[in-house]
Amino acid sequence: MLPKQKYNVAVIGAGPAGICAAATAARRGASVLLIDSGATLGGSVTAAMHRCLCGLYSADPVTPSNTLNDGAQRLVVKRMTFKAGLEVFPSRFGRAYVLEFPASAWETSLAHLCTEAKLDVVMQTRAIAIGREANRVISLRLAGATEETVTIGALVDCSGAGNILQLAGEDAVQPLDPASTDMLGGYAIRWAGLNGDADMMRIQVPFVLTGAVNQKVLPHAAKFATFFPGPGTGEGVLKLAIPPDAFAPEQVEPFVTGAIQVLRERCPPFSAAKIVELSPHALRRDGRRLRGKYVVTEEDVLSAKKHGSDAVRAWWPIENWDVERGPTYVYPPAGDHYDIPPHALQSAAIENLFAGGMCISATRAAAASTRAGGICLATGAKAGELAAAR
């Protein structure tokens, strides 16, 4: 059973955006219910086994906590630094800077945020229906161990896929761009017992998989795989690009199995290695987005458009995962930032419906920047602040 039957704010999705939304709303005095369909906190950052956060900085930050935004974004970084010390550090990634961190620091920091904010957290539970009166959301039907209905004062969708927006009504969601289905997804595999030079494996893995693609042993998307060694000796994470027409479990499994088999047979470090963790499912890079009072555009991102002191500051390239070409990057001005205004987080049709993370009101091109994990921390926090005010 749910801890209570009535909350000021319900947040869907316990990833970086959702946890920051829920914690921020609670700190502002709201009673908050945080819901997630998965079994672990951290959303796609955890599921994809990311070991760095993007979108926190627009230039060399010098110190980890010199983030573009204060509040929850900076608090998460400080928490991880406190937990793991020198293992949390900024590093250069092409023309950008990211924050490296160990998984344990990420997971414990998020858990502490939930505990400190005294959130009611319900995992392995889905929202299956939304009650609405005119231009307000009034209730949420949840399916977990049982089905229950909870009364809510405001709703924040940080689910990533945006399915909750769809439940709220067609006037709450942007029409799904058919091009969205053309973006490559991701799937991660964590290995132990690798016997080889870590830096060489960064090169060996894509070389071997590309060879298998050229021989038509693996699908075209396998050539965009990457390998990240560590954190310990003989450990590493393989990131596979998943074709947009192969997201169903019965399609992902043979794709993943084929890549594993090729590596075991053709890449010596993997021949006797063990798989210790798999992504729970293929992870999409795009989904339904809020029809907000403002829509962030590609021009906003690339021109570093500003919206005032109440906006979220953001910087990350427009990172598009094209089916044929793989990842491409188009950068905003270095050392500057663009703004995501509060109106991009609030529904144009439903006064107490908000979104954070991947679900904010943005064009497909702009969302390829705004979905960066570090930016999700900040948009989630702002959405939680707006929801608490309702």
Side-chain angles (χ1 to χ4, degrees):
M1 292 182 61
L2 294 173
K4 295 197 288 269
Q5 299 304 308
K6 184 176 182 179
Y7 290 87
N8 299 128
V9 177
V11 179
I12 309 295
I19 289 175
C20 286
T24 300
R27 287 196 190 93
R28 291 177 177 263
S31 58
V32 181
L33 178 65
L34 177 62
I35 306 145
D36 195 278
S37 60
T40 57
L41 301 176
S44 59
V45 173
T46 299
M49 302 175 212
H50 291 324
R51 297 297 178 262
C52 65
L53 269 181
C54 313
L56 293 169
Y57 316 110
S58 63
D60 185 350
V62 182
T63 65
S65 60
N66 190 23
T67 57
L68 284 169
N69 300 275
D70 56 13
Q73 186 187 63
R74 191 165 296 166
L75 178 61
V76 170
V77 173
K78 287 183 175 180
R79 285 285 184 194
M80 290 199 295
T81 304
F82 176 78
K83 293 292 180 187
L86 296 179
E87 292 182 81
V88 179
F89 58 92
S91 67
R92 189 82 182 245
F93 180 82
R95 291 161 57 184
Y97 285 86
V98 300
L99 183 72
E100 307 274 359
F101 61 88
S104 58
W106 169 252
E107 292 162 5
T108 56
S109 295
L110 295 185
H112 284 168
L113 278 181
C114 294
T115 301
E116 290 168 355
K118 298 180 179 179
L119 304 176
D120 285 345
V121 182
V122 180
M123 305 298 290
Q124 295 180 294
T125 299
R126 297 179 298 109
I128 57 174
I130 287 175
R132 178 174 164 181
E133 286 185 356
N135 66 339
R136 288 187 63 83
V137 171
I138 59 168
S139 65
L140 200 57
R141 185 70 176 168
L142 302 175
T146 60
E147 285 194 16
E148 297 182 70
T149 299
V150 60
T151 301
I152 55 175
L155 177 62
V156 186
D157 189 351
C158 298
S159 64
N163 294 332
I164 309 308
L165 300 175
Q166 188 77 15
L167 290 176
E170 291 293 337
D171 57 350
V173 66
Q174 294 182 36
L176 191 60
D177 185 343
S180 297
T181 61
D182 292 336
M183 192 175 294
L184 291 166
Y187 190 93
I189 306 167
R190 186 162 66 91
W191 299 77
L194 295 163
N195 182 23
D197 180 85
D199 289 330
M200 281 300 297
M201 280 188 280
R202 291 181 186 270
I203 302 169
Q204 285 176 296
V205 168
F207 178 79
V208 167
L209 294 180
T210 297
V213 170
N214 293 339
Q215 295 169 4
K216 302 190 183 305
V217 174
L218 293 176
H220 178 75
K223 70 190 305 180
F224 305 124
T226 52
F227 179 78
F228 300 89
T233 302
E235 298 177 344
V237 176
L238 170 67
K239 301 286 187 75
L240 294 172
I242 301 296
D245 58 354
F247 277 85
E250 65 272 15
Q251 295 168 313
V252 171
E253 184 177 355
F255 180 87
V256 172
T257 300
I260 291 171
Q261 183 177 346
V262 165
L263 287 174
R264 289 200 186 280
E265 293 175 352
R266 305 187 185 190
C267 194
F270 289 81
S271 60
K274 296 180 180 179
I275 295 171
V276 293
E277 186 179 0
L278 298 167
S279 288
H281 51 79
L283 302 163
R284 294 188 180 274
R285 288 188 167 90
D286 198 15
R288 292 181 174 85
R289 295 182 293 278
L290 179 73
R291 187 169 72 83
K293 293 184 175 181
Y294 183 89
V295 181
V296 181
T297 67
E298 179 179 15
E299 182 181 355
D300 291 349
V301 174
L302 298 181
S303 67
K305 187 170 182 176
K306 306 296 190 294
H307 289 274
S309 60
D310 199 35
V312 169
R313 295 183 173 191
W315 194 97
W316 187 252
I318 292 175
E319 181 183 344
N320 184 49
W321 282 73
D322 183 80
V323 172
E324 294 299 324
R325 295 181 296 163
T328 60
Y329 303 88
V330 183
Y331 290 82
D336 204 345
H337 68 271
Y338 65 92
D339 282 351
I340 300 172
H343 285 345
L345 313 179
Q346 183 172 10
S347 170
I350 304 175
E351 66 178 41
N352 62 341
L353 176 65
F354 304 88
M358 288 176 60
C359 298
I360 72 168
S361 179
T363 64
R364 179 177 183 268
S369 172
T370 64
R371 69 167 182 257
I375 299 174
C376 289
L377 293 171
T379 57
K382 178 60 69 173
E385 175 186 324
L386 296 171
R390 291 290 168 178

